[in-house]
Amino acid sequence: MTLKRTLAIACAIALSITGTAGAQGPTEQKGLKIGSTTVGGTITVGGRYTTIDGVASGILDVKAGIVLDQTWGIGFGFAAPYLDKRLTTLVADGTYHMSTGYSGIYIERYFRFSDDFVASASVLMGQGVIMYQYDKEYRTQKAWRDEVIDQTTFAVFEPAISAQYRLGGSFWLGVTATIRNTSPVQLLGTSESIFRKGGVGMTARWDLF
């Protein structure tokens, strides 16, 4: 799958969600009352642009969590960066790609300017994995234990800011900017700071309850 196709899939998901939103009218703010606290649920899907090893790359984001009193959010986030670049530096018998992803717990603070416009600041804390793996046409010639050239894990701390606008009902469209901080990446032939980059993108959010 190419970078263009990965970004296209993310955009298609966002457009399909926002298209549904445009077909619905405004609704009451959803939430469950637990004592004096209103609890809501939310799912967010997004796509970001960043660079990895100096190459333009895409990131597919998925977050799911709860929102307390429309002010504080907490949940689980997953990010799947994709680097569309065939590599040859570490081997002489084929090509390989970088595969990586990270996930963790996020905390988010919402600042509501109106019923239809909010800004937020958040941070995701977790762990990721990165590997170099032979491309498919070369893996068939190797035992499973030889398909991966090198692999390691890293810790991630990623602050973000965003602005979101309600398109209708429970659906929101937003823009976001992030700064990705990681522990040193201990991988063959790779800079320890390869993932310490910023990113910008769009999000589509759906309030479940």
Side-chain angles (χ1 to χ4, degrees):
M1 183 182 290
T2 66
L3 171 59
K4 290 182 179 178
R5 187 175 177 184
T6 302
L7 292 176
I9 291 173
C11 291
I13 293 172
L15 288 173
S16 64
I17 291 177
T18 55
T20 304
Q24 299 181 7
T27 63
E28 295 285 335
Q29 178 66 41
K30 295 184 178 182
L32 303 175
K33 201 72 174 179
I34 301 178
S36 61
T37 302
T38 300
V39 180
T42 183
I43 290 179
T44 302
V45 177
R48 280 181 287 157
Y49 168 85
T50 188
T51 58
I52 299 176
D53 201 23
V55 178
S57 305
I59 301 179
L60 178 65
D61 293 300
V62 179
K63 296 198 304 183
I66 59 172
V67 180
L68 305 177
D69 289 330
Q70 303 181 36
T71 303
W72 287 98
I74 183 169
F76 179 81
F78 171 78
Y82 182 74
L83 177 65
D84 186 18
K85 181 181 180 182
R86 286 179 177 264
L87 305 170
T88 58
T89 305
L90 300 178
V91 299
D93 57 348
T95 62
Y96 59 95
H97 265 80
M98 173 190 293
S99 299
T100 185
Y102 58 92
S103 61
I105 300 298
Y106 75 85
I107 299 174
E108 190 162 12
R109 175 66 164 90
Y110 295 94
F111 304 91
R112 296 187 177 271
F113 295 94
S114 71
D115 288 342
D116 296 324
F117 180 72
V118 300
S120 72
S122 66
V123 61
L124 182 144
M125 298 166 287
Q127 189 176 55
V129 62
I130 177 175
M131 71 172 68
Y132 287 137
Q133 184 178 31
Y134 278 99
D135 290 324
K136 184 176 180 180
E137 56 266 39
Y138 300 101
R139 293 203 300 267
T140 56
Q141 308 168 21
K142 302 181 182 299
W144 64 268
R145 61 181 178 276
D146 298 324
E147 292 180 358
V148 175
I149 299 165
D150 196 17
Q151 176 177 322
T152 191
T153 59
F154 56 90
V156 62
F157 180 86
E158 186 171 56
I161 57 173
S162 70
Q164 303 167 26
Y165 181 77
R166 187 202 302 270
L167 295 183
S170 302
F171 296 89
W172 302 73
L173 185 67
V175 293
T176 187
T178 63
I179 294 292
R180 193 168 50 258
N181 299 283
T182 70
S183 60
V185 174
Q186 305 291 341
L187 199 67
L188 289 174
T190 303
S191 168
E192 293 184 346
S193 59
I194 186 172
F195 287 140
R196 296 174 190 166
K197 302 289 183 180
V200 294
M202 296 185 66
T203 62
R205 193 183 97 203
W206 180 31
D207 292 335
L208 299 173
F209 59 86

